[in-house]
Amino acid sequence: MSWFSKLIPSVRTTTNGSSKKVPEGVWTKCPQCDGVLYRPELERNQEVCPKCNHHFRIGARDRLKALLDGEKFVEIGADIEPVDILKFKDTKKYKDRLSTAQKNTGEKDALVVLRGDMRGIPVVACAFEYRFIGGSMGRVVGTKFVKAAQAALEHRQPLICFSASGGARMQEALISLFQMAKTSAVLNKLHRGGLPFISVLTDPTMGGVSASLAMLGDVIIAEPKALIGFAGPRVIEQTVRQVLPEGFQRSEFLLENGAIDMIIDRRDMADKLAHLLAKLTRAPLPLSNKGVVSSQEQDSAGS
Amino acid sequence: MKHNFLDFEQPIAELEAKIDELRLVGNDGEINISDEIKRLEQKSRDLTKSIFANLNPWKITQLARHPMRPFTLDYIQRIFTDFDELKGDRHMMDDKAIVGGIARLDGQPVMIIGHQKGRKTKEKVVRNFGMPQPEGYRKALRMMQLAERFKLPIITFIDTPGAYPGIEAEERNQSEAIARNLYEMSNLRTPIICLVIGEGGSGGALALGVGDKVMMLQYSIYSVISPEGCASILWKSAEKASEAAQALGLYAQNLYKLKLIDQVIEEPLGGAHRDNDEMASRIKQALLDNLTQLQSMSLDELLAAREKRLLSYGDAA
């Protein structure tokens, strides 16, 4: 990949929606505090607004690279390509949606799986790429997740997954629905193998992804203010004909209702995951962080 | 009217009305009316055959949701004996959108679990239109684990528009309830046979749909999203439901071709609701055949085969 094509995905991450009016590439507007942010600084800060801690969506590969130590990782299932089995066509052909998404993200589908070290602890880590058709789960996502769990079993390493998904991919119809059964089944197998699975829910985690792998973590963590739920807010509003309560289906709401264990700032995520896993697997204490900014903007390795 | 005809069945409805009229006139005149009735009945059957030979996915969707279509309890009553209904999730409530209990299939004890819709308004409300809350799935799981402990095979009947999309359902973690069932069913140590009898609506259907055999009735549907929901998202108009149904390919024959389901059970002419007893007896036969096959395997073989099948979902299509 050239330096330029590497740059494109991360640029696009934050140039959607309301931030469109800000000149592309250099400045990004924070949708929460309206602060105008210098892109390189935002990237250094793992796409978290330094002023108000708003968590921007982050690309799958950027996220995993920030999580893992150095460049020593192995990608799993990189060669698996989506196939338009049903020749699905709505207002656009699925085939065309796929190639557009591939061009825009540089990914073959919506899940990236890497095996590497995190603060010195070997892990298999997956992340959904939300910009790939809304991070939707079709056959490739399901298959790659299975491969991730199988790699975890083979190498006796914990599994981590960052979900960011609108749910099952409609264009793969029942095939995508059945990926829910597939990913849940492999997690059962992972658990029988005695390995932990930590599920990290990021904005958004909805529908078929929420109702399968994402809610099956031994420990479930969410990023602040992520939208998480089964049915979409609009569908619920239409069904119950009620205004939804403030903060409905946000991370804090889920924590209050007992659905998740904790809410962790993205900048502290690797440390927190490493400390959790070290306890669960009786591994040696994790290494301290590698100089990235923490939420306190100071040393948080001891927390 | 005997049947409650759908729009596309109108020509059949008119013919049937004519037959009913003739029957009322009876045999008081000189003309032999019974011959005429016989002729019209034959014509009605032929017409039904020709209409039902060319059903598009949207028409099949309407049949799958037909108000007169037999529901889970209609089948339980006809297929099984000695049914004892079990209730409640032991934490919160008894969700009446899911029913279940222990019964006998041809003498053999089995656990039955299914979505339950209502026919009249009041019953529909009690059953929440067949849309379970998380507690429905948790009740189902409790019954499945009971079945596992006492080595009862599990038979599920799937018939739901989907899991209930409500505020309380989200508060009590609908996602987790569904996910938990998928997770547990993948390794439950007893045979599981799943049958879609009407609407197989998304995750709410799949939460009773993980097993060793997945079957569908001929005019049932199974889909990741309702055609209306799909149309409003992808076409930005719920009016395009018919196109969406086509694109989703949600009907039994197609899903069989894609190797996503194992068997299609043929329905009586005009659909299951035209002959509940006949439909029930065909289901019973299919259940017995499949159960015999599954019970000839050891539990370890059964679970290995189930795992293999689940982990390769979509790869065979």
Side-chain angles (χ1 to χ4, degrees):
Chain A
M1 229 193 305
S2 74
W3 66 272
F4 185 65
S5 54
K6 258 190 202 164
L7 194 65
I8 287 175
S10 62
V11 169
R12 296 242 173 126
T13 314
T14 51
T15 50
N16 49 14
S18 61
S19 57
K20 260 191 186 132
K21 282 172 200 103
V22 181
E24 234 176 275
V26 184
W27 301 99
T28 295
K29 195 172 156 190
C30 174
Q32 190 168 285
C33 70
D34 282 343
V36 177
L37 310 172
Y38 186 48
R39 269 245 50 114
E41 194 195 342
L42 189 58
E43 273 169 39
R44 261 198 310 278
N45 212 33
Q46 296 186 50
E47 307 287 338
V48 178
C49 173
K51 294 178 178 158
C52 72
N53 290 342
H54 170 70
H55 283 52
F56 287 83
R57 286 176 187 155
I58 182 170
R61 214 164 274 275
D62 290 343
R63 178 189 287 283
L64 293 179
K65 284 187 177 165
L67 185 82
L68 299 176
D69 308 339
E71 299 287 317
K72 266 179 46 205
F73 48 76
V74 186
E75 180 157 5
I76 293 168
D79 53 335
I80 305 174
E81 296 241 22
V83 186
D84 177 17
I85 293 164
L86 306 173
K87 309 254 178 293
F88 195 99
K89 183 172 174 284
D90 47 86
T91 52
K92 271 190 206 155
K93 284 183 182 163
Y94 177 40
K95 217 176 68 182
D96 296 341
R97 283 188 198 269
L98 282 173
S99 51
T100 306
Q102 287 174 337
K103 228 176 278 164
N104 289 345
T105 60
E107 302 296 345
K108 291 211 171 85
D109 209 303
L111 191 75
V112 179
V113 184
L114 301 181
R115 192 165 71 78
D117 288 353
M118 179 186 69
R119 304 288 189 263
I121 297 178
V123 295
V124 178
C126 328
F128 279 77
E129 178 53 68
Y130 187 71
R131 290 169 309 140
F132 198 106
I133 318 187
S136 54
M137 177 162 71
R139 187 185 60 92
V140 174
V141 170
T143 303
K144 279 181 124 175
F145 189 83
V146 167
K147 284 201 181 296
Q150 284 168 338
L153 278 164
E154 186 190 334
H155 299 280
R156 306 294 305 160
Q157 295 173 357
L159 179 66
I160 301 168
C161 182
F162 294 85
S163 40
S165 172
R169 187 173 298 165
M170 280 178 283
Q171 292 88 348
E172 292 187 24
L174 198 68
I175 296 171
S176 67
L177 185 74
F178 280 10
Q179 302 310 308
M180 294 169 65
K182 181 171 171 173
T183 54
S184 303
V186 86
L187 284 174
N188 191 313
K189 192 174 178 172
L190 184 81
H191 287 165
R192 274 179 280 139
L195 292 165
F197 168 52
I198 299 194
S199 175
V200 185
L201 316 179
T202 79
D203 187 59
T205 298
M206 301 299 293
V209 169
S210 167
S212 61
L213 63 101
M215 281 296 168
L216 293 172
D218 292 303
V219 176
I220 304 181
I221 298 174
E223 285 191 342
K225 297 191 180 134
L227 183 73
I228 301 159
F230 178 64
R234 213 166 37 113
V235 174
I236 297 173
E237 229 160 20
Q238 282 164 2
T239 308
V240 302
R241 294 173 200 286
Q242 256 177 279
V243 180
L244 301 176
E246 179 78 21
F248 182 66
Q249 292 184 318
R250 296 287 167 182
S251 305
E252 296 70 17
F253 167 94
L254 270 86
L255 186 67
E256 196 57 38
N257 284 309
I260 60 174
D261 292 291
M262 57 187 92
I263 297 172
I264 301 292
D265 187 296
R266 184 180 297 154
R267 293 161 294 183
D268 302 332
M269 195 65 80
D271 283 321
K272 181 55 80 181
L273 289 170
H275 278 92
L276 273 168
L277 287 174
K279 280 175 273 185
L280 288 174
T281 63
R282 294 170 195 280
L285 276 177
L287 307 173
S288 63
N289 73 20
K290 43 176 185 176
V292 289
V293 196
S294 81
S295 66
Q296 282 83 40
E297 292 187 38
Q298 48 187 295
D299 179 46
S300 65
S303 65
Chain B
M1 214 186 293
K2 268 195 302 191
H3 294 307
N4 239 329
F5 288 94
L6 296 167
D7 281 352
F8 66 84
E9 296 178 289
Q10 271 322 303
I12 308 169
E14 281 161 25
L15 206 52
E16 289 287 325
K18 210 187 259 174
I19 295 170
D20 286 347
E21 237 170 73
L22 279 178
R23 282 211 183 91
L24 278 180
V25 174
N27 276 326
D28 58 344
E30 289 101 63
I31 346 148
N32 191 345
I33 289 179
S34 68
D35 279 356
E36 179 64 3
I37 290 179
K38 260 189 207 141
R39 197 182 66 79
L40 286 178
E41 279 175 341
Q42 184 56 43
K43 202 175 161 194
S44 169
R45 271 195 297 276
D46 292 344
L47 188 63
T48 309
K49 256 184 218 160
S50 79
I51 287 177
F52 276 72
N54 290 303
L55 293 177
N56 66 28
W58 179 237
K59 288 176 182 166
I60 293 174
T61 303
Q62 290 168 279
L63 274 172
R65 297 168 175 170
H66 196 291
M68 296 306 288
R69 200 169 168 83
F71 299 143
T72 295
L73 286 171
D74 299 315
Y75 287 128
I76 289 179
Q77 190 193 349
R78 287 174 172 82
I79 297 171
F80 304 90
T81 55
D82 196 10
F83 175 59
D84 284 312
E85 187 174 349
L86 304 177
K87 294 188 179 184
D89 70 336
R90 296 294 188 268
H91 295 285
M92 170 84 198
M93 63 188 260
D94 180 48
D95 187 338
K96 293 182 171 53
I98 288 185
V99 295
I102 318 166
R104 288 180 189 276
L105 174 65
D106 219 16
Q108 184 186 174
V110 294
M111 182 68 81
I112 315 163
I113 300 164
H115 301 97
Q116 180 65 39
K117 292 180 176 177
R119 202 155 274 125
K120 296 203 178 109
T121 309
K122 202 176 150 197
E123 174 84 356
K124 279 182 185 164
V125 172
V126 168
R127 301 293 180 187
N128 200 27
F129 302 86
M131 294 187 285
Q133 306 270 0
E135 291 69 32
Y137 296 113
R138 290 174 184 143
K139 165 167 93 167
L141 181 59
R142 182 178 75 80
M143 292 192 277
M144 290 188 237
Q145 287 169 334
L146 179 66
E148 179 183 45
R149 208 140 39 84
F150 294 97
K151 302 186 170 58
L152 307 181
I154 297 168
I155 294 163
T156 70
F157 290 99
I158 294 165
D159 190 15
T160 179
Y164 185 62
I167 294 174
E168 296 80 8
E170 295 290 323
E171 282 171 352
R172 301 196 298 267
N173 211 350
Q174 187 73 283
S175 285
E176 192 273 347
I178 294 170
R180 187 63 49 197
N181 282 16
L182 306 180
Y183 176 92
E184 295 293 346
M185 290 176 90
S186 73
N187 194 48
L188 218 53
R189 297 185 66 81
T190 190
I192 307 174
I193 300 176
C194 310
L195 172 64
V196 185
I197 57 171
E199 269 184 287
S202 192
L206 187 65
L208 297 186
V210 179
D212 303 297
K213 293 281 176 189
V214 180
M215 306 190 282
M216 288 178 73
L217 299 190
Q218 187 180 6
Y219 303 128
S220 66
I221 58 169
Y222 203 172
S223 182
V224 65
I225 185 169
S226 72
E228 291 89 340
C230 181
S232 68
I233 296 171
L234 293 180
W235 279 265
K236 315 277 178 224
S237 154
E239 314 271 284
K240 300 280 184 190
S242 173
E243 276 96 322
Q246 183 78 44
L248 289 165
L250 41 58
Y251 55 104
Q253 206 57 54
N254 184 52
L255 300 172
Y256 179 72
K257 227 170 53 198
L258 290 169
K259 299 192 171 70
L260 292 168
I261 61 163
D262 303 288
Q263 188 177 337
V264 181
I265 306 178
E266 206 183 320
E267 298 193 17
L269 182 61
H273 59 288
R274 300 285 188 96
D275 193 342
N276 292 5
D277 291 334
E278 172 60 22
M279 188 72 259
S281 93
R282 290 183 195 179
I283 293 173
K284 184 176 181 181
Q285 195 53 53
L287 291 176
L288 285 169
D289 293 346
N290 280 290
L291 204 52
T292 309
Q293 195 225 321
L294 294 177
Q295 287 178 322
S296 72
M297 301 163 80
S298 75
L299 264 183
D300 287 337
E301 282 170 351
L302 184 82
L303 287 166
R306 188 188 303 164
E307 179 182 298
K308 192 170 162 227
R309 156 208 186 82
L310 290 172
L311 296 192
S312 64
Y313 259 148
D315 297 347

